[in-house]
Amino acid sequence: VTSTSTDGTAPAGLALSGRPVYLAPLDVHDVLAILAEDVPGTAILGGGTVVMPRLSTGAERPARLLDLAAAPGLAEVTTADRTSTLGATVTYATLLERPVHRLLTQVARGITGGPQIRNQGTIGGSLCYANPASDLPTALTALGARVTLERPGARRTVSVADFVLGPYQTALAPGEILTAVEIPADDARYGYVKLKHGQSSWPIVVAAARISRAAPPDTITVTLGAAVARPVSIEVHLDGELGASLTPSQATAVAEIVRAASDDWWADELATARYRRRVAGILAARAIDDALGKERSA
Amino acid sequence: MSAVSSVARRLDGARIVRGTTRYLDDAVPAGCLHVAFARSPHAHALIDAVDLSAAAAAPGVVWALSGKTAAGLIGDLICLLPEALTGAGGPLMLPCLPAQRVRYAGEPVAMVVAETEDAARRAAELVALACTPRPPLLDVSSATAPGAPPQHPQLATNVVMSSAVRDGDAAAALAAAAHAVEGQVRLGRAVPLEPRGCIAWWDDEAGRLVVRAATQQPHGLRAELARQLQQPESDIRVLAPPLGGGFGFKFPGLPEEPLTCLAALHLRRPVRWVETRAESLLVGARDYQASYRVGFDRRGRVTALSVDLDADVGALSATPGPVMPAVAAGTFPGPYDVGHVEVRWRAVMTNKGPWNGARGFGKEATCVVMEAALDDVARVTGLDPAEVRRRNLLRPEQLPHRTSTMTLDSGDYPRALDMALELADYPALRARQARQPAEGPLRTGVGVAVELTPEGIDYAGSLSRGFETATVRLDTSGNVVVLTGVTSPGTGSETAIGQLVASRLGIPVAAVRVIQGDTDRTPYGAGSFSSRAVMTGGTAAWLAAGDLRQQLVTAAAALLGAEPGAVEAAEGLYYVRDEPARAIPLGPLVSAVRTLGAALPGLGGPQVEATRTYGPGNLQSIPDETGRLQQYPAYSYSVHVAAVEVDIETGTTRIERLAAVHDCGTVINQALVDAQLHGAVAMGVGIALFEEERHDGQGRPLATDFKRYLLPRLQDIPELRTGYLESPSPFTELGTKGAGEGGVGGSAAAIAGAVRDAAGGGHLRLPLTPERVLELIDGYYDAATGGAQ
């Protein structure tokens, strides 16, 4: 294991300085080996946009920091067999530079916080943090993406929908790490909208709409996030033809279906569950309009 | 003054751009110890014991102190509130660390000093607070309910101050008014932008305490430290490094600074305290609720205004913060001609964090309430809201205009209104609003607000006085040093002061060095607040420079063999008018005065430095025989027009445009005034739409960082169109009035009015979060459809 430590590991020194041991393995094999050591209090750094502020405020005091930045294999984007594979440390900036899917490009474009966040924030970090008020768990659920979870000698894949179990909860087992995200190619139409309370707000509601071309008449799936404790996908069947945008009665129908589709509305410091429930259906209808509008302009 | 009005570049600009500014935490002395405070998790509790043993035994800890052990070592904080308003029969005292009662979640109950910041913070977590939690009082109504336990031992209730401001007979005028409307306004609790901190050390050679503190008031802090630490004032030196913003939140009066200094004295080592973001957000301001009743005739002329204004000032503090509701009350009815006014106000203690000052200092609340009332008048009469303002604004010929608390000095309020309406393209906005389709989620709203901003407070009885002293010193290089008691919290006041001195002495601004923020070097001064740095500190320096100019002209005339009346100065050269070859540069001229003054006949005295003290007129700083008190000498004002687009389905507001016309009297540096107005509007956007510190049911603050307390970002700030009027004050030496606060309340009121316009009315509760906007809209549609939704 190649690792660096910026601080002595003597317990007394640790207690006084409070600095965790810093580990930056050079490949995935070493990452897995370190995790297999099963030392309690190991925090994994993707881009650090969540962990580092928590270290600064003292909200988290891990014994070890495992930084994935030096393991280049994890930052790769590859495409084969109509499936794109994104390494866990692929950043929002990479999603903008190397478009994989129009929906993901749209998500990455909507990430605020400046280049610092877009260059540092990773898809694996966002998925593993599983903050309800975020974009990627919802967008990747809508895309039918799967994640690769690894530990020494074992590898499994699960759908993102099954990976995100609830607020800040994932299907990761002890000693396991998310290494990649697979996105299947898909010729459906997608739309995406996000509601925020100002530029510095986290998402209050996100909604992705998928309109299938294959299964007539147009099958619509709305995946809702931020408004609910975990992303939820809702099949929407509408009366009448789909035009360039929803008719008022279609939009009302979408809103009603979505409002009835969850009993686990999310609340946090920025918005109540009541508010989120009220506006979620409106955002869902706008996501469908976004998909329809893009089709028209494409 | 035209020679001064220019857009001189900031003297501190290169430092800021190159990142060489040394803020407090950029210079930590070697061997520095670090302070952390153990803070109460309870908002309200009776203290049984504070056990420091585990903390004191933790690695790296050198000292720990509780309320009990600190009591004999450090004097109490003294509140600034007038006894006539508190009824306490003496100044209200506050211990630095409580021994009996915890008054808010986050109140420090113990101090820990350790070798590293991390060790101090970890040890602070080991302090054991044994206490009996009590139900927290989290709003004015619970704090004023019968039987609510008073939060200060010298007071019988939680109303720490109450009074009324009266002009005429509002009750009778309301009864006689053709129309009357009632309304309510609430403002969210605001918090600071930059954490506080200080680093203190014992200077063994000089035998004195040195304190670098992120403070707006170095001299005021020094006087309080001297009293609390029982050290002679002259044996304390306070240095104030550049601030990343003051905004009123860096007034002394909170316990951490004196306690850090106590540790430095006690331990004879450098001690550093810098608060975290979460700690910084414990301090608040601006938590008001108001009910108003406005009487008017069918032509929209307001005849009477009655207001009940309550401020939730949280746990009592010794900062100027709790004074703000008195200022808010005294600023009614703003720039309007209202014959009968009564404002009953209270400052109420609750179990939220303490207040410090906040830019606007109460006047922003006045503006939001006043403008909500005028919007109601417009709605009832069917008049255009701008027309209602025009019919009620004081006209220029009515100025100066005296109320029971103010003497409005000068200006042309109706003209500023017209300018703002034109800048905003108001008729086009209204036309667009009238044309907007009934379907679709977007609604245009337009708001108009006129803000009166009394400035330059003279708070007699405290160290926050309205006058300043400045020393101007010439040197043989032809440079000039200005020593001033005012500080710059990042506003660039030193540049404007430098311009004033440079213009007076006929030298380039680059030849002026302005020294601020050092109690050893600068004359007594009250620091930075109430937009007074240039109006007072700048004028004192201008006067001192004038004294020197007279002396230099005399000396130059003697040396050049000319009449003093023929000597002029420009670009560092003193010369004979119409004979520019007969000239002497300032450096040699100063040399001559220093080496030959009082010796060579005709040259004059040897003095090359001058000190002057200046305070503006138009004050009644202590009550006169009728009880009238007027603490503000100058009255800036601004007019704001906001256009918003409200999404009635989600409650989201986008501010499309904001036009502002500002008049702060004589302008010394237009770029600096512009910067202040732009910053004020950004703050107004925050008040109107975003900023609010809320608490859970146990009184714990919910906003612990800037992801939970939302500040506007650049993209949230609308397109700004600004214009200026320049109506010099007849009561200040240079006609200046102060530019540092104008626009905070006016922009907030205009934006809030615009949202209310789009939503159809209702009670204003700021910030107008999307959820509250939907409540406004629901109320409107409920009313429109007879209650059904």
Side-chain angles (χ1 to χ4, degrees):
Chain A
V1 174
T2 308
S3 69
T4 55
S5 170
T6 58
D7 198 15
T9 50
L14 181 65
L16 180 57
S17 77
R19 287 191 191 137
V21 176
Y22 175 75
L23 304 163
L26 296 176
D27 60 38
V28 180
H29 175 80
D30 288 349
V31 171
L32 299 178
I34 289 167
L35 281 173
E37 290 167 12
D38 196 22
V39 174
T42 301
I44 299 172
L45 280 184
T49 59
V50 172
V51 173
M52 294 312 290
R54 288 175 62 80
L55 293 184
S56 305
T57 61
E60 199 171 324
R61 284 179 179 147
R64 307 197 303 177
L65 277 180
L66 175 54
D67 188 351
L68 305 182
L74 289 175
E76 282 171 12
V77 178
T78 54
T79 303
D81 298 335
R82 292 176 46 81
T83 296
S84 296
T85 303
L86 308 177
T89 61
V90 164
T91 62
Y92 297 109
T94 304
L95 293 180
L96 289 172
E97 288 156 14
R98 297 196 47 191
V100 172
H101 191 286
R102 202 157 69 171
L103 177 63
L104 290 182
T105 309
Q106 197 175 347
V107 166
R109 211 179 284 136
I111 298 294
T112 52
Q116 294 93 332
I117 297 298
R118 288 191 293 273
N119 287 334
Q120 285 297 120
T122 63
I123 59 167
S126 176
L127 283 173
C128 291
Y129 188 42
N131 177 2
S134 61
D135 292 86
L136 279 174
T138 301
L140 291 169
T141 298
L143 289 173
R146 299 179 67 78
V147 290
T148 305
L149 310 179
E150 290 188 61
R151 59 184 152 179
R155 171 190 298 223
R156 61 180 178 134
T157 65
V158 298
S159 69
V160 171
D162 290 333
F163 177 72
V164 179
L165 300 178
Y168 311 103
Q169 290 176 313
T170 68
L172 275 175
E176 201 171 40
I177 190 167
L178 187 158
T179 52
V181 180
E182 287 176 9
I183 297 161
D186 180 4
D187 68 348
R189 294 179 273 173
Y190 282 93
Y192 189 77
V193 291
K194 170 156 69 170
L195 178 70
K196 293 177 35 155
H197 290 354
Q199 287 288 315
S200 63
S201 152
W202 53 57
I204 306 301
V205 179
V206 296
R210 178 180 185 277
I211 305 176
S212 153
R213 292 174 203 270
D218 304 307
T219 305
I220 303 175
T221 309
V222 171
T223 306
L224 190 66
V228 282
R230 59 185 287 207
V232 53
S233 292
I234 305 153
E235 292 244 337
V236 177
H237 301 282
L238 294 175
D239 295 333
E241 291 287 299
L242 277 181
S245 65
L246 296 174
T247 64
S249 68
Q250 285 174 327
T252 305
V254 169
E256 276 167 17
I257 292 165
V258 168
R259 269 197 282 270
S262 175
D263 51 10
D264 201 5
W265 299 94
W266 181 242
D268 56 32
E269 294 90 338
L270 296 190
T272 62
R274 186 169 166 265
Y275 174 80
R276 282 181 155 107
R277 178 176 179 273
R278 172 166 173 167
V279 301
I282 292 156
L283 271 288
R286 291 182 186 179
I288 296 169
D289 274 345
D290 186 49
L292 295 171
K294 251 182 267 171
E295 180 66 14
R296 189 183 40 188
S297 63
Chain B
M1 289 308 302
S2 58
V4 185
S5 289
S6 67
V7 188
R9 302 182 74 164
R10 291 177 65 130
L11 294 175
D12 61 349
R15 273 204 309 274
I16 292 172
V17 170
R18 293 170 57 221
T20 53
T21 304
R22 285 279 168 273
Y23 295 100
L24 174 77
D25 220 15
D26 289 329
V28 179
C32 196
L33 296 169
H34 300 261
V35 167
F37 289 94
R39 294 178 181 274
S40 167
H42 307 289
H44 187 195
L46 301 177
I47 298 173
D48 299 317
V50 177
D51 182 357
L52 299 174
S53 53
V61 172
V62 297
W63 203 35
L65 209 56
S66 69
K68 215 170 188 173
T69 51
L73 300 174
I74 188 162
D76 287 348
L77 300 156
I78 299 180
C79 296
L80 298 169
L81 314 178
E83 290 166 32
L85 297 181
T86 64
L92 297 173
M93 312 294 284
L94 292 167
C96 283
L97 292 171
Q100 289 166 352
R101 185 188 294 271
V102 167
R103 304 170 302 146
Y104 67 95
E107 177 162 19
V109 294
M111 172 173 74
V112 177
V113 188
E115 296 287 347
T116 67
E117 181 176 348
D118 195 66
R121 293 201 182 281
R122 283 168 187 254
E125 289 173 15
L126 301 175
V127 171
L129 169 66
C131 65
T132 311
R134 311 292 305 161
L137 309 170
L138 296 178
D139 53 35
V140 167
S141 63
S142 62
T144 54
Q151 295 297 302
H152 194 284
Q154 289 168 262
L155 296 170
T157 74
N158 288 312
V159 178
V160 60
M161 286 190 294
S162 66
S163 188
V165 172
R166 290 190 186 91
D167 272 296
D169 186 344
L174 268 169
H179 303 279
V181 179
E182 290 178 353
Q184 289 168 23
V185 168
R186 296 186 69 159
L187 268 73
R189 185 183 151 98
V191 302
L193 296 182
E194 192 201 43
R196 294 173 300 139
C198 69
I199 298 170
W201 64 93
W202 178 254
D203 179 344
D204 211 25
E205 185 188 5
R208 63 205 296 249
L209 182 71
V210 185
V211 187
R212 283 181 74 232
T215 182
Q216 293 173 233
Q217 293 189 294
H219 282 288
L221 176 62
R222 183 177 77 150
E224 284 306 294
L225 289 174
R227 181 186 60 75
Q228 288 183 273
L229 299 169
Q230 299 205 325
Q231 299 285 312
E233 218 182 321
S234 41
D235 288 347
I236 300 175
R237 179 183 191 183
V238 173
L239 298 159
L243 298 181
F247 303 111
F249 283 106
K250 292 201 177 76
F251 286 120
L254 291 164
E256 291 93 342
E257 284 156 332
L259 284 166
T260 302
C261 293
L262 172 67
L265 268 182
H266 181 82
L267 300 167
R268 293 287 198 263
R269 283 182 63 183
V271 180
R272 166 187 169 275
W273 161 71
V274 174
E275 66 186 356
T276 63
R277 174 67 62 204
E279 289 177 305
S280 143
L281 297 182
L282 293 169
V283 176
R286 224 175 260 164
D287 192 347
Y288 296 100
Q289 55 186 62
S291 306
Y292 58 85
R293 201 171 152 77
V294 58
F296 50 99
D297 64 22
R298 64 184 173 77
R299 297 189 55 254
R301 270 288 290 136
V302 175
T303 52
L305 177 71
S306 172
V307 180
D308 286 286
L309 178 74
D310 283 335
D312 175 347
V313 300
L316 186 61
S317 78
T319 70
V323 174
M324 292 190 286
V327 171
T331 305
F332 280 98
Y336 297 104
D337 183 12
V338 182
H340 303 278
V341 178
E342 179 166 329
V343 184
R344 296 163 297 277
W345 64 274
R346 300 186 296 178
V348 178
M349 296 181 292
T350 65
N351 295 121
K352 297 179 190 164
W355 274 25
N356 206 337
R359 189 185 192 186
F361 213 74
K363 307 154 217 169
E364 77 285 12
T366 314
C367 182
V368 173
V369 173
M370 201 64 219
E371 298 302 326
L374 289 171
D375 282 338
D376 292 341
V377 173
R379 236 182 306 281
V380 171
T381 56
L383 289 166
D384 184 283
E387 181 58 26
V388 170
R389 268 75 179 180
R390 188 176 291 110
R391 291 182 185 186
N392 287 288
L393 283 171
L394 288 161
R395 296 182 308 278
E397 62 272 21
Q398 289 176 282
L399 303 181
H401 172 79
R402 197 171 144 111
T403 75
S404 67
T405 50
M406 307 185 283
T407 304
L408 282 65
D409 41 17
S410 61
D412 191 339
Y413 308 153
R415 183 165 165 232
L417 173 65
D418 288 339
M419 285 171 66
L421 294 172
E422 194 180 323
L423 270 178
D425 218 348
Y426 185 77
L429 286 173
R430 288 294 184 198
R432 196 178 84 196
Q433 192 178 25
R435 280 198 314 268
Q436 73 190 347
E439 63 271 16
L442 301 180
R443 295 286 181 277
T444 297
V446 184
V448 181
V450 189
E451 178 195 320
L452 181 74
T453 325
E455 295 292 24
I457 196 170
D458 180 36
Y459 197 63
S462 80
L463 291 168
S464 296
R465 295 300 308 277
F467 64 86
E468 278 293 328
T469 302
T471 296
V472 177
R473 183 179 291 161
L474 306 170
D475 69 29
T476 55
S477 313
N479 272 9
V480 173
V481 172
V482 181
L483 304 159
T484 173
V486 297
T487 54
S488 167
T491 55
S493 65
E494 68 270 41
T495 303
I497 294 169
Q499 282 177 263
L500 285 168
V501 168
S503 74
R504 201 72 164 132
L505 290 170
I507 57 173
V509 181
V512 184
R513 306 284 177 268
V514 181
I515 308 290
Q516 299 175 302
D518 181 348
T519 56
D520 267 12
R521 290 194 288 169
T522 66
Y524 281 127
S528 162
F529 57 91
S530 204
S531 308
R532 57 191 290 287
V534 176
M535 177 173 29
T536 56
T539 305
W542 157 272
L543 292 171
D547 292 348
L548 290 174
R549 181 183 174 115
Q550 215 163 23
Q551 174 143 1
L552 290 169
V553 164
T554 303
L559 293 171
L560 300 170
E563 285 301 311
V567 173
E568 292 190 351
E571 292 301 305
L573 216 58
Y574 280 66
Y575 61 93
V576 181
R577 190 183 312 126
D578 302 331
E579 294 179 73
R582 289 170 68 195
I584 180 168
L586 181 61
L589 180 58
V590 171
S591 275
V593 173
R594 280 175 72 182
T595 56
L596 293 168
L600 187 70
L603 199 66
Q607 196 183 346
V608 289
E609 60 189 331
T611 298
R612 286 286 287 262
T613 297
Y614 172 76
N618 198 29
L619 284 163
Q620 181 66 52
S621 303
I622 56 173
D624 66 10
E625 62 280 1
T626 69
R628 187 177 183 279
L629 180 69
Q630 183 188 320
Q631 295 176 309
Y632 284 98
Y635 297 82
S636 297
Y637 63 94
S638 53
V639 183
H640 303 257
V641 179
V644 303
E645 197 175 67
V646 174
D647 182 330
I648 60 168
E649 292 179 346
T650 62
T652 309
T653 299
R654 187 178 70 83
I655 309 170
E656 186 186 319
R657 183 183 304 170
L658 197 134
V661 172
H662 188 214
D663 186 347
C664 60
T666 305
V667 170
I668 307 300
N669 184 319
Q670 188 63 54
L672 294 178
V673 170
D674 253 337
Q676 287 302 304
L677 183 59
H678 280 241
V681 169
M683 216 163 223
V685 170
I687 293 172
L689 298 184
F690 297 109
E691 298 185 42
E692 185 173 38
E693 170 73 293
R694 291 176 300 123
H695 296 74
D696 70 12
Q698 297 307 305
R700 289 177 294 246
L702 292 170
T704 51
D705 56 32
F706 286 148
K707 291 303 284 180
R708 288 160 181 83
Y709 180 92
L710 297 186
L711 293 164
R713 286 191 184 165
L714 187 60
Q715 299 92 329
D716 298 310
I717 311 289
E719 173 205 346
L720 289 185
R721 301 178 180 181
T722 56
Y724 294 91
L725 276 176
E726 211 170 320
S727 310
S729 162
F731 303 116
T732 62
E733 180 76 19
L734 302 174
T736 53
K737 296 183 181 182
E741 294 183 286
V744 173
S747 57
I751 295 161
V755 173
R756 202 163 162 239
D757 184 43
H763 294 320
L764 269 186
R765 185 168 181 194
L766 307 187
L768 284 160
T769 60
E771 204 152 0
R772 289 184 186 151
V773 171
L774 288 183
E775 283 165 16
L776 279 181
I777 290 166
D778 290 350
Y780 173 62
Y781 288 117
D782 280 355
T785 59
Q789 199 193 329

